[in-house]
Amino acid sequence: MSLEDSMARRLRISGIIVIIGLLVEALCLVWSKPIAFVVLVCIGGAMIGLGVLLFLYSLVTAPVPTADSSGAAHDKQ
Amino acid sequence: MPTFAIVILVVFSAVLAGVVVVRPALTVSRAGKILAFGVLFFLPLFSLVAGMENEMQRSESTAFCLSCHIMEPYGKSLHIDDPSYLAGAHYQNHRVPADEACYTCHTDYAMFGTFEAKLGGLRHLYIYYLGKPPLPQDIKLYKPFNNRECLHCHLGARSFEQGATHNADPATLPAIKANTLSCVSSGCHDTVHNVGRWGDKVKFWDGGS
């Protein structure tokens, strides 16, 4: 698996986790029970936080474009 | 921010995040990178903070407190048609905001009062869902009611400062202000909610409707 594929995979996973967290948050906002706050923070907040951290991790481990790859890009153009 | 606006923001964020999930190749371009940063970092965190702030506000509402079954009699006590019932008299005469009646009296007006009230709420949740909740009439305050909470509104008010009973003995007013003579448990204003001790004669105000 190439580094680009690996980054795309991490982006997908972080996006899915963030989406689940956001959906949990949306449900909690329309669910007017005291437990909704706890679910929002413990599940929604944790998932959003995890997704964001994974996104940041994918950024710092992203492949750095080399002179060869940029040259290849120019060749393609 | 109103709840529906936050829900729309959250759903919008989720849809945009879905775009990145379906087409991660978008992030190759500069605009795609900005989009990914916005929808996978900024918007989710902003939505989370807005949602939590909204929930914190909601937790101060009377409806929120009364949404637990165990609190129903306390909510009912706010409608007792008898001015000697302290909680009902305050609620019905809008001496406390009707939509934040519980919170107004049961939070500490000290530096960490709001934080302590929220921690107390989490403890209530734990007991309600995982512990053994007491009967409504057996619920007790964690610590004696502090006059500071009453004086937050009443201090300086003419009815309090110049009230005949408060001034009958020159030592009374200073004792109240120093919290050595309790407003609610010294035999003066001790009929507060009185859950479980209403009897058959108690009448209820219809809420003005």
Side-chain angles (χ1 to χ4, degrees):
Chain A
M1 186 185 285
S2 69
L3 283 169
E4 286 83 1
D5 288 343
S6 167
M7 187 181 176
R9 191 165 155 268
R10 282 182 190 146
L11 278 178
R12 272 208 176 101
I13 294 171
S14 68
I16 289 168
I17 295 172
V18 164
I19 289 170
I20 294 171
L22 287 169
L23 292 179
V24 168
E25 183 183 346
L27 284 175
C28 290
L29 286 170
V30 295
W31 182 30
S32 56
K33 281 282 178 187
I35 193 83
F37 177 74
V38 178
V39 175
L40 190 154
V41 174
C42 294
I43 299 177
M47 298 210 81
I48 290 172
L50 187 67
V52 167
L53 283 177
L54 188 59
F55 167 66
L56 294 176
Y57 178 71
S58 72
L59 286 186
V60 296
T61 57
V64 180
T66 59
D68 290 345
S69 63
S70 59
H74 278 294
D75 291 343
K76 281 181 185 174
Q77 286 172 358
Chain B
M1 195 186 284
T3 305
F4 77 91
I6 299 171
V7 173
I8 289 171
L9 175 72
V10 167
V11 172
F12 178 68
S13 307
V15 170
L16 284 181
V19 172
V20 175
V21 168
V22 174
R23 296 193 62 190
L26 279 174
T27 57
V28 172
S29 67
R30 181 182 289 269
K33 284 186 172 69
I34 294 170
L35 174 77
F37 186 78
V39 300
L40 293 180
F41 182 81
F42 179 73
L43 275 178
L45 291 183
F46 182 75
S47 303
L48 182 64
V49 171
M52 283 175 63
E53 204 271 338
N54 183 272
E55 286 290 308
M56 294 288 257
Q57 285 285 325
R58 190 195 292 181
S59 70
E60 294 173 8
S61 70
T62 308
F64 178 89
C65 300
L66 302 184
S67 63
C68 281
H69 296 305
I70 202 167
M71 283 292 130
E72 278 175 10
Y74 289 87
K76 216 173 168 188
S77 76
L78 300 177
H79 293 269
I80 290 177
D81 191 12
D82 182 344
S84 68
Y85 278 72
L86 198 65
H90 276 71
Y91 175 81
Q92 292 164 31
N93 294 299
H94 287 205
R95 291 176 192 142
V96 292
D99 55 346
E100 290 182 3
C102 312
Y103 180 79
T104 304
C105 293
H106 289 283
T107 190
D108 282 3
Y109 289 99
M111 185 182 279
F112 300 110
T114 302
F115 179 70
E116 283 179 13
K118 305 298 180 197
L119 276 183
L122 286 177
R123 185 176 173 183
H124 296 165
L125 271 179
Y126 174 79
I127 294 169
Y128 188 75
Y129 286 104
L130 300 171
K132 194 176 177 186
L135 292 170
Q137 60 267 29
D138 295 335
I139 292 175
K140 299 277 188 294
L141 294 172
Y142 293 122
K143 52 188 178 184
F145 200 84
N146 195 312
N147 287 357
R148 176 189 56 216
E149 276 56 271
C150 307
L151 297 176
H152 180 73
C153 296
H154 291 283
L155 189 67
R158 186 179 176 186
S159 58
F160 170 71
E161 301 282 354
Q162 297 182 355
T165 314
H166 293 163
N167 288 284
D169 179 349
T172 302
L173 215 46
I176 294 171
K177 290 178 181 176
N179 195 38
T180 52
L181 180 67
S182 172
C183 301
V184 295
S185 56
S186 301
C188 301
H189 303 286
D190 56 352
T191 309
V192 186
H193 293 286
N194 272 31
V195 168
R197 301 191 296 274
W198 293 341
D200 299 329
K201 290 181 180 174
V202 74
K203 290 178 183 173
F204 292 93
W205 178 54
D206 63 1
S209 58

